[in-house]
Amino acid sequence: MGETASLNRRRFSISSAREAIARETAIASIASSCTNCLEPLKLIMFRKPKIIATILLAFAIAVAVHWIGFDRPNFAQSLIPETTIAANSLQLAPPIDCTLDEDCFILLYPDRDPGPGEVDFGCGRQTYDGHKGTDFGIANMDKMNAGVAVIASAPGKVLRVRDGVSDRLITDPKQVEALEGRECGNGVFIEHGNGWETQYCHLRNGSVAVTPGMEVDTGTVLGMVGASGAASFPHVHITALYEGKVVDPFVGPEAGPGCQVSPSPIWTVPLDYTPTGAINAGFADTPPDMNDLWEGRFPQGELSQDIPALLFWVHTYGVLAGDSYQFKLIAPNGEAIAEDTKEITSPSKTWMGYVGKRNNPERPIAPGVWRGEYQLTRGGEVLVDLVREIEVR
């Protein structure tokens, strides 16, 4: 058997896992979003136009996982089985070593609409048409490189594996075309008996730790979270199957299609439905774009006083039209240097924004501890409440 994990309420762990000052100088906040791609974004803060041309095919293409090249199951069958399945359902542990809603998150759920539409089990929109699994994500590639373990969700036998596919975030449709037959990236396929199987996609290149024929326990390390194959963010995609048909673990095998069903989840621990939440937040000295944040290009630590600008950024998921956000950037003396409050006008599966100020001789960035505050509210309820601090020397 492989190395196993001890499981508790929401921590899925293994012992070996790694892991303006003045208005005229304030930079207005800016928000970008991504539903199936990242729209071009025009920056106006520095009085110099800048177009972010990165196209982030985050969800409709990048994580459209069809296990290709592994004698894949027949996914031409109905997404949600319409007949009653055996009551003794497989019980699945979360497939990732992390603390949910702290250092990892569920970004996408199985699509429960059998037609061309899309709906997740909570009657929300954190899925896309035809998405067959659950995507457990981590904040960025920097975290990925540090190592977050993918673990077996149940005992079984490894049937097939793949390794050797490089990790890179999909930013262009041509990258997906080049991956034909390897969209799942590096992965593992496990048979659990009684007609049950699970597949795990997008593992980090070179990390697959099991071989075909190997018996695994719940918690056996299969590899590390990666961004191999058609992935636009670092995550592990898990699909559960019963007799070749996809099962949504949040409602169980006996639920029919759609979201108005009586759920009988097959997770071993309660997993709350969290359609809106935080991915990450921090500070930067240049305006970030969505891909910068997924790449982890702004490691947090001290910043020099001679930086060109100080910006507080936030990366979230699942925003809806009518949501409101509020940014504040607070100087070491307690003064709010930059503030911005706006209503979001369109829903987005992922969203980013920032607020900040330029550094100039007349109004320099003062040394000391700077503070960023952010709130996302919906109908008067605070859904995301973040505070970050950084020292400028």
Side-chain angles (χ1 to χ4, degrees), residues 303-309 359 365 392-393:
L303 289 175
S304 170
Q305 191 178 356
D306 61 2
I307 55 178
N359 199 358
I365 294 174
V392 175
R393 291 181 176 274

Side-chain angles (χ1 to χ4, degrees), residues 167-224:
D167 296 285
R168 65 171 181 174
L169 300 182
I170 295 298
T171 59
D172 188 289
K174 293 181 180 179
Q175 293 174 304
V176 179
E177 295 172 9
L179 285 167
E180 184 176 0
R182 297 175 298 142
E183 288 89 340
C184 182
N186 306 311
V188 178
F189 196 97
I190 299 176
E191 181 183 47
H192 303 285
N194 297 318
W196 285 93
E197 298 164 318
T198 53
Q199 59 180 8
Y200 309 76
C201 291
H202 309 306
L203 275 63
R204 195 176 72 190
N205 188 21
S207 75
V208 175
V210 293
T211 56
M214 181 175 174
E215 298 284 343
V216 297
D217 283 328
T218 301
T220 296
V221 177
L222 305 179
M224 296 290 160

Side-chain angles (χ1 to χ4, degrees), residues 15-26:
S15 60
S16 66
R18 314 278 199 278
E19 318 242 281
I21 284 175
R23 297 275 191 239
E24 67 271 15
T25 60

Side-chain angles (χ1 to χ4, degrees), residues 30-365:
I30 184 165
S32 73
S33 60
C34 183
T35 301
N36 291 326
C37 63
L38 204 173
E39 302 92 73
L41 183 63
K42 186 173 183 179
L43 306 182
I44 59 175
M45 300 65 139
F46 291 89
R47 300 172 185 164
K48 293 196 294 185
K50 177 180 178 182
I51 304 296
I52 298 177
T54 304
I55 299 175
L56 186 56
L57 301 179
F59 308 106
I61 298 176
V63 281
V65 176
H66 296 182
W67 188 278
I68 296 175
F70 283 88
D71 300 326
R72 68 180 183 186
N74 180 13
F75 286 132
Q77 303 176 64
S78 172
L79 259 182
I80 306 299
E82 296 183 1
T83 57
T84 300
I85 294 176
N88 57 334
S89 299
L90 182 72
Q91 295 294 296
L92 298 178
I96 184 172
D97 168 31
C98 65
T99 302
L100 196 62
D101 299 330
E102 291 185 17
D103 51 14
C104 65
F105 49 89
I106 298 174
L107 187 56
L108 295 173
Y109 298 88
D111 176 24
R112 299 197 53 74
D113 188 329
E118 56 187 49
V119 67
D120 61 39
F121 83 98
C123 297
R125 60 184 306 279
Q126 286 304 111
T127 187
Y128 61 82
D129 185 26
H131 189 239
K132 298 176 175 67
T134 306
D135 290 354
F136 291 80
I138 57 177
N140 53 50
M141 299 286 275
D142 190 51
K143 301 289 186 185
M144 182 199 80
N145 291 330
V148 178
V150 173
I151 56 181
S153 289
K157 178 187 287 188
V158 176
L159 294 185
R160 297 175 288 279
V161 303
R162 179 196 286 133
D163 207 345
V165 182
S166 62
D167 296 285
R168 65 171 181 174
L169 300 182
I170 295 298
T171 59
D172 188 289
K174 293 181 180 179
Q175 293 174 304
V176 179
E177 295 172 9
L179 285 167
E180 184 176 0
R182 297 175 298 142
E183 288 89 340
C184 182
N186 306 311
V188 178
F189 196 97
I190 299 176
E191 181 183 47
H192 303 285
N194 297 318
W196 285 93
E197 298 164 318
T198 53
Q199 59 180 8
Y200 309 76
C201 291
H202 309 306
L203 275 63
R204 195 176 72 190
N205 188 21
S207 75
V208 175
V210 293
T211 56
M214 181 175 174
E215 298 284 343
V216 297
D217 283 328
T218 301
T220 296
V221 177
L222 305 179
M224 296 290 160
V225 174
S228 60
S232 62
F233 65 103
H235 69 287
V236 57
H237 168 111
I238 180 173
T239 296
L241 302 109
Y242 178 75
E243 295 185 345
K245 296 182 179 181
V246 174
V247 173
D248 182 348
F250 290 91
V251 298
E254 297 183 6
C259 62
Q260 302 291 345
V261 298
S262 297
S264 297
I266 60 173
W267 296 113
T268 58
V269 294
L271 296 184
D272 296 335
Y273 177 59
T274 308
T276 303
I279 296 173
N280 205 1
F283 296 86
D285 58 3
T286 59
D289 62 30
M290 190 80 78
N291 200 55
D292 288 335
L293 302 187
W294 283 127
E295 290 282 359
R297 290 176 178 151
F298 301 103
Q300 300 306 291
E302 294 181 355
L303 289 175
S304 170
Q305 191 178 356
D306 61 2
I307 55 178
L310 179 63
L311 303 103
F312 170 55
W313 55 264
V314 171
H315 193 188
T316 63
Y317 63 90
V319 302
L320 298 179
D323 291 352
S324 296
Y325 66 83
Q326 181 182 53
F327 274 101
K328 284 186 180 180
L329 179 64
I330 301 170
N333 65 0
E335 181 183 1
I337 299 306
E339 299 183 65
D340 189 52
T341 301
K342 283 188 175 68
E343 182 175 299
I344 293 172
T345 58
S346 60
S348 299
K349 289 183 172 67
T350 60
W351 182 98
M352 62 150 288
Y354 58 81
V355 68
K357 76 172 299 293
R358 293 183 298 173
N359 199 358
N360 60 59
E362 294 77 26
R363 310 298 297 218
I365 294 174

